Amino acid sequence: LGTPIAGRTDDALDDLIGFFVNNLVLRTDTSGDPTFRELLGRVRETSLSAYAHQDVPFERLVEVLNPERSLARHPLFQIMLAVQNNAEPRLELPGLTGELEAVGTHSVKLDLWFDLAERHTADGTPDGIVGAVQYATDLFDEHTVRVLADRFVRVLTAAVRNPDQRVGRAEILASGELERLGAWSAGPECVVQGGSLPELFAARVVSSPGAVAVVSGDVELSYAELAARVAGLARWLVERGVGPGGRVVVALPRSVELVVALLAVQWVGAAYVPVDPEYPAERVAHIREDAGAVLVLTPDVLPGLDGLGDGSGPVVGGAAYVIYTSGSTGRPKGVVVGQSALVNFLASMAERFPMGVGERLVAVTTVAFDIAGLELFLPLVQGATVVVADRETVRDPQALAGLVVEHKASVVQATPSLWRAVVDQAPEAVRGLRVLVGGEALPADLALRLRELAADVTNLYGPTETTIWSTAAVVDAGGEVSIGSPIANTRVHVLDDRLQFVPPGVAGELYIAGEGLAYGYHRRPGLTAERFVVDPYGAPGERMYRTGDIVRWRANGQLEYLSRADHQVKVRGHRIEPGEIEAALIRHEAVGQAVVVAREDTPGDQRLVAYLVPATASGTPDTAALRDALAATLPAYMVPSAFVVLDALPLTPNGKLDRAALPVPEY
């Protein structure tokens, strides 16, 4: 931070009228979590060293260091701390009484300016410190600055009260804030009926046997017909050694057979292991071996589903599925999700998105992506219909829109990437839908467009390890995006690296606890222990999942997603958030979508590359103009070295951005 100094080191200046103030740049070292007493010693040493060189003009320092310059911010520091510790001047004129009057300038040269002054009694006894804070209104509102000032006073009070307390242990939450955070952190309580998905499905078969359960292409099954096929396949599985605690790899295309297989595997107490049929054979083989699967269900292996006979009733409890996600070690890791977690999730979603007989949800997601669980199962526990879209239909936004209209669907869930394609090519298909969106960050412009078209829009967030979705937010008419608040029987904590609550507005890591937690990682006890940790705010023995996502609480109790803890890249010594560059690119009228990555196509030469999709099909962004636009708002090291224009961003089978498929640029 910066601090002003009088600049009157020469006695000859004592009686000279003039302005000799200089700015010092101070850096405070808080590494190692020192005590306040230790920190005060560090600050004293730093300050005295700076005072010894106070005659070096600030302008000269800027010239020598030559930092990246911007008209948007002050060089070297953006926060000023000024302490007035001189006696107040007095103007004495014959027959007049003078006093100081504070005059506001209505402008500030820095982001924040703390102006403090020592106060004394009439006899000169110290009487505390008073101060004011000036702030840039384009960065802060009054409430935020008042809260910041209150926290500053609270930290100083803690330091005075106990100077041997470590800085990281200082309590900065105001009275009532801890209670408010506790209220925000807990989702509503929900009574869950049934111990497994097959039980819930069986109950719907009894109540609505003739209602349409599943549709795929020309095939349509009632609840009774679907139940008969599930029971028959369950018997066939038992005959081949599949039972409670077993694993069955399901590698079937999106179809009625897929729904039957997923239910039948769970019916016998086993867990299904979903894989996309387009996965390479080597990856499927690894998953089967790692999961210890008894069987792999493919179209070639699956028997005809008619006439298999009846089996026994459903087995309750155990694991529902084991789903494999990418692993940092280069091999996929299996997340084991229990029936109780799945049932809790479906109960919560049923309260939020009620459906009845005759209502239809179009399922578009590959079964290898856990969010397919909502699409395939939520209708079936409510007596509604799931319409399974095949792969070719999902890949064609016009065809998908036609399917939605044809079946008069009321609910559709998809990733932002897929929703953007549908909105761009067939917006009328969205009109009147209940839109569920998740799987990646929801851009504000897409949120607003969906909100204008749909009956309502819900943005959903959740890692696989906490069973599909853990938080939800209804997008309002203004298109404001957040990841919302916890779903039923779920708790969320925003914590610092000491697992302490951070105040509203402060970034922290998101931890999730409650009924949705998975058992852990299959055959990976070390990784399970690392990511599923003891919940210090729960009952004894309860765990919470460390998401690695950086979020903060908004003042209204909604969670705002900021970034991944590991999303930063380092290019030529500078730490960079690609999202900042992407946001700047998207603001340009010629850019519809943008992704920025750090590439190292030549060993040791890491460069930023921007991949762009034009805002209109007929227009190609002028890369020189884009470079100039970015240079006007960002430091030079944040301007990409290359710009690659694409017709569309490549997507994985899950509908997320496929970064590995981004082409090598020409620098």
Side-chain angles (χ1 to χ4, degrees), residues 159-170:
V160 172
R161 182 180 297 119
N162 183 7
D164 293 313
Q165 181 185 34
R166 297 202 174 273
V167 172
R169 300 297 179 185

Side-chain angles (χ1 to χ4, degrees), residues 298-520:
T298 64
D300 296 336
V301 173
L302 194 69
L305 298 180
D306 291 321
L308 289 177
D310 293 331
S312 59
V315 176
V316 179
Y321 58 86
V322 181
I323 196 161
Y324 278 76
T325 63
S326 296
S328 58
T329 61
R331 61 187 182 96
K333 57 184 183 293
V335 180
V336 185
V337 176
Q339 284 288 350
S340 60
L342 179 58
V343 167
N344 179 80
F345 167 76
L346 292 172
S348 177
M349 292 297 100
E351 284 197 351
R352 189 177 290 269
F353 308 111
M355 302 177 69
V357 174
E359 290 191 80
R360 298 192 169 198
L361 181 153
V362 173
V364 303
T365 305
T366 172
V367 70
F369 192 4
D370 68 330
I371 71 173
L374 180 147
E375 299 170 21
L376 298 176
F377 303 142
L378 182 59
L380 297 181
V381 300
Q382 299 190 80
T385 304
V386 55
V387 179
V388 183
D390 61 34
R391 183 180 302 276
E392 289 69 28
T393 299
V394 174
R395 288 176 173 175
D396 182 349
Q398 292 282 3
L400 178 58
L403 185 69
V404 170
V405 173
E406 175 190 351
H407 287 277
K408 298 179 181 178
S410 57
V411 182
V412 178
Q413 171 185 264
T415 62
S417 300
L418 183 53
W419 275 123
R420 187 179 291 280
V422 173
V423 166
D424 288 345
Q425 298 185 39
E428 287 305 311
V430 183
R431 200 169 298 280
L433 279 177
R434 300 197 71 180
V435 166
L436 280 58
V437 57
E440 56 188 357
L442 174 60
D445 65 315
L446 178 60
L448 183 59
R449 185 73 175 121
L450 286 170
R451 186 63 184 83
E452 292 171 347
L453 293 168
D456 57 63
V457 180
T458 303
N459 189 36
L460 296 152
Y461 161 87
T464 300
E465 289 84 350
T466 58
T467 312
I468 308 178
W469 303 130
S470 297
T471 69
V474 176
V475 178
D476 61 24
E480 185 178 12
V481 177
S482 76
I483 60 172
S485 54
I487 66 171
N489 301 332
T490 300
R491 302 187 307 280
V492 295
H493 306 309
V494 184
L495 308 176
D496 61 17
D497 56 2
R498 301 177 184 86
L499 299 185
Q500 300 296 311
F501 287 116
V502 299
V506 176
E509 186 170 353
L510 179 62
Y511 291 76
I512 301 176
E515 299 299 320
L517 257 64
Y519 292 151

